[in-house]
Amino acid sequence: MLAQALACGSTNVASIQFDRNENSNTRFTWVLPGETSGHHEISHIDEGEGPGGVTALAAIEKWYAAQLAYFLDRLAAIPEGNGTLLDNTLVVWGTEVSHGASHSEQGMPFILAGATSRLKGGRYLQYPGNSTRHARLLVSIAQLFGLNSVQTYGTTDTGAGPLLGLV
């Protein structure tokens, strides 16, 4: 439905939230038949506690990734201008934390897809340490769309400017 809303111009900005958060403790029985633990409980199992929780968490994340792939395929199937709707849309996928057991945000992955005329794809970029916050990603996205006066976002980042090398 969102792909169609973007295609017909009903909206130019949208957000999809698959679940209210990992604390909802959704049981992914369609992914993990017979599993009685919910997503939140599974996300707190550390690698040292055995492979079962890590395998279950990977299966849940794989399901989420498949939903993203489906959405990207839908956007790519809609012609727009000299390309597709995906070529003209920036899709950002992220999660709440990078490591559920510790609630760490260090090394949190984000996937940026589409926007091929503005963003070079096919790369893996890594920004180490606390000095680069998620706010810099939001600044980068704002600047990607011409809002160059945006230099900061929020109050948790003591620096300013976009992520170097992203655009």
Side-chain angles (χ1 to χ4, degrees):
M1 204 176 338
L2 180 54
Q4 291 304 312
L6 291 166
C8 73
S10 280
T11 186
N12 290 324
V13 178
S15 176
I16 296 176
Q17 185 171 335
F18 286 105
D19 204 346
R20 66 179 184 258
N21 60 37
E22 290 178 2
N23 284 335
S24 71
N25 222 14
T26 300
R27 287 168 173 72
F28 284 75
T29 55
W30 64 96
V31 175
L32 303 165
E35 177 63 59
T36 58
S37 298
H39 190 196
H40 184 237
E41 185 178 347
I42 291 170
S43 75
H44 276 273
I45 296 173
D46 201 353
E47 290 87 355
E49 297 179 38
V54 173
T55 301
L57 186 58
I60 292 169
E61 296 302 327
K62 183 178 178 181
W63 179 83
Y64 280 126
Q67 306 318 298
L68 173 67
Y70 173 79
F71 181 61
L72 295 175
D73 287 345
R74 293 296 307 136
L75 294 176
I78 299 170
E80 184 177 83
N82 293 330
T84 69
L85 185 55
L86 179 59
D87 294 325
N88 297 308
T89 303
L90 176 64
V91 177
V92 180
W93 181 41
T95 186
E96 296 174 10
V97 295
S98 63
H99 188 259
S102 65
H103 288 189
S104 174
E105 296 176 358
Q106 292 301 310
M108 187 178 321
F110 287 91
I111 292 177
L112 279 63
T116 58
S117 65
R118 297 172 186 256
L119 187 64
K120 180 181 174 189
R123 301 177 295 157
Y124 174 81
L125 303 174
Q126 190 170 1
Y127 297 94
N130 282 333
S131 62
T132 305
R133 302 267 186 198
H134 303 122
R136 300 289 179 91
L137 176 59
L138 297 174
V139 168
S140 299
I141 291 169
Q143 290 188 6
L144 184 68
F145 289 95
L147 301 172
N148 295 322
S149 64
V150 175
Q151 293 295 317
T152 61
Y153 187 92
T155 59
T156 60
D157 189 354
T158 56
L163 292 170
L164 297 178
L166 182 62
V167 292

